[in-house]
Amino acid sequence: MPDFNDLLRLLEEAEYTVAFTGAGVSTLSGIRDFRGKDGIYKDRSVNADRLFDLGYFHEHPGYYYTHTRDMIYDLESRRPNIIHRVCARLEEQGKIRSVITQNIDLLHQRAGSRRVVEVHGSPRVHRCLECDRSFPYADICRVVQEGRVPRCDECGGVVKPEITFFGEALPMAALSQAMEEASRSDLMLVLGSTLVVQPAASIPLYTARQGGRLVIVNDAETPLDDLAALRYPDLKSCFEFLETHLP
Ligand code: ZN
C-alpha cells in the first residue's frame, strides 16, 4: 500500500491546488475511455477516428449519435464516483480551486464541482451547424434516447455538441483559463490521464514550470512521471484514503 499520507501533507501545505482529470476518472462510473484496455480504440465495431471527426459528422451525424448514445446521452445511468465526489468536497472545503478536465461526461458538475474547466468542450450545449441556434443537453438526450438524430427545429440543420471534434480548434477560452489555473497553482493533482492528448496534456507543465508540484495518479505511465513529486498507480485506493481522512 503506497503511503497516501504524503499526499495529505502536500494538500495541507499547498496554497492553490488544481485537479486535472482524464478518462481514467470516469471509467469507474462505467464510461468507456478511449485508449484504456476496454477503450473505444480497441473496439472493432466502432471507428473511433470517425466518431469525433468533424467532416464525417457533417455527412453522417447519425454515426456519432448512435455510438455515443450510452456514453454521452444516458448519464442518468452513469453516476459520479468517489473521485468526482471527493474532488467536489475538496473544492467545497477550499482545498482545491478548480477542476480542469479532458472529460466530456459532465460528472464533475453532477458531483457538485462548481469551477470546472472543460478543455475538450462539453455536451452541455448543442448548436445547429446552419443557423447557430442552441439546444440544451436535456432536450437532445431525449431525442437521442428515442433513437433519433437531433435536427434543428428552425432550419433542419445538423445539430452538433460543443465537444471538440477532430478537425476543430480546442475551445480557446477554456484552454487559456486552464493554463492560467495551472500557472497559478502550486500543486496539481493529475488524475486518470495518460497525458498523451495534446495540447491539453501539456497543462501540468505550466504548474511544473512555475515550481509547482505534480501528483500523478494513473494506472499507466505518463510522460511527466519523472517530474512528479508523488506518483500513485491506483485512483480508487487513493481516493478511498482521501475520503476517510478528510475532515
Ligand atoms: Zn438551424
Side-chain angles (χ1 to χ4, degrees):
M1 187 79 161
D3 192 354
F4 296 122
N5 284 302
D6 295 337
L7 172 56
L8 276 186
R9 186 175 47 82
L10 291 197
L11 271 171
E12 210 47 58
E13 285 170 10
E15 297 277 325
Y16 201 103
T17 302
V18 168
F20 177 88
T21 68
V25 160
S26 294
T27 47
L28 284 179
S29 290
I31 290 174
R32 296 172 77 187
D33 61 5
F34 286 85
R35 290 171 180 78
K37 77 175 153 47
D38 299 314
I40 291 166
Y41 277 93
K42 303 263 163 71
D43 182 345
R44 281 155 183 258
S45 68
V46 190
N47 183 332
D49 290 324
R50 215 170 245 185
L51 201 53
F52 293 99
D53 182 85
L54 186 63
Y56 196 79
F57 182 82
H58 272 275
E59 299 301 320
H60 310 280
Y63 190 80
Y64 162 82
Y65 283 111
T66 306
H67 287 99
T68 58
R69 182 168 152 180
D70 293 342
M71 184 170 60
I72 296 175
Y73 298 97
D74 185 21
L75 293 187
E76 285 315 308
S77 68
R78 310 280 189 233
R79 304 272 165 214
N81 61 50
I82 184 169
I83 303 157
H84 302 108
R85 287 197 308 272
V86 170
C87 282
R89 201 162 124 208
L90 285 166
E91 184 181 345
E92 202 178 273
Q93 296 176 346
K95 287 197 162 52
I96 67 174
R97 306 300 179 108
S98 60
V99 176
I100 300 167
T101 189
Q102 296 175 290
N103 298 338
I104 49 174
D105 52 39
L106 306 171
L107 289 179
H108 282 297
Q109 292 92 330
R110 285 186 57 206
S113 286
R114 288 161 183 277
R115 294 193 70 210
V116 182
V117 183
E118 297 167 294
V119 289
H120 291 166
S122 174
R124 261 175 313 157
V125 175
H126 282 61
R127 272 183 202 286
C128 172
L129 291 174
E130 302 297 325
C131 73
D132 207 38
R133 194 188 143 122
S134 67
F135 301 88
Y137 176 69
D139 293 358
I140 299 292
C141 282
R142 210 171 308 122
V143 175
V144 175
Q145 286 307 319
E146 287 168 10
R148 294 187 290 131
V149 174
R151 289 269 172 182
C152 175
D153 48 18
E154 288 286 317
C155 77
V158 173
V159 170
K160 181 189 167 293
E162 290 196 331
I163 294 167
T164 311
F165 277 37
F166 299 114
E168 277 184 308
L170 286 173
M172 273 323 292
L175 206 58
S176 53
Q177 200 188 343
M179 290 171 194
E180 203 175 295
E181 285 293 293
S183 305
R184 278 182 78 173
S185 63
D186 57 355
L187 177 62
M188 177 176 279
L189 312 178
V190 179
L191 310 172
S193 175
T194 47
L195 299 175
V196 291
V197 183
Q198 294 296 351
S202 327
I203 288 167
L205 284 176
Y206 287 82
T207 302
R209 281 194 198 118
Q210 306 288 328
R213 287 159 160 165
L214 300 181
V215 173
I216 299 180
V217 192
N218 194 52
D219 60 4
E221 287 181 2
T222 84
L224 302 188
D225 285 354
D226 289 345
L227 290 179
L230 297 172
R231 174 75 176 86
Y232 301 108
D234 184 35
L235 269 170
K236 195 159 173 256
S237 55
C238 179
F239 275 70
E240 281 167 354
F241 178 90
L242 286 180
E243 191 173 48
T244 46
H245 289 79
L246 286 175

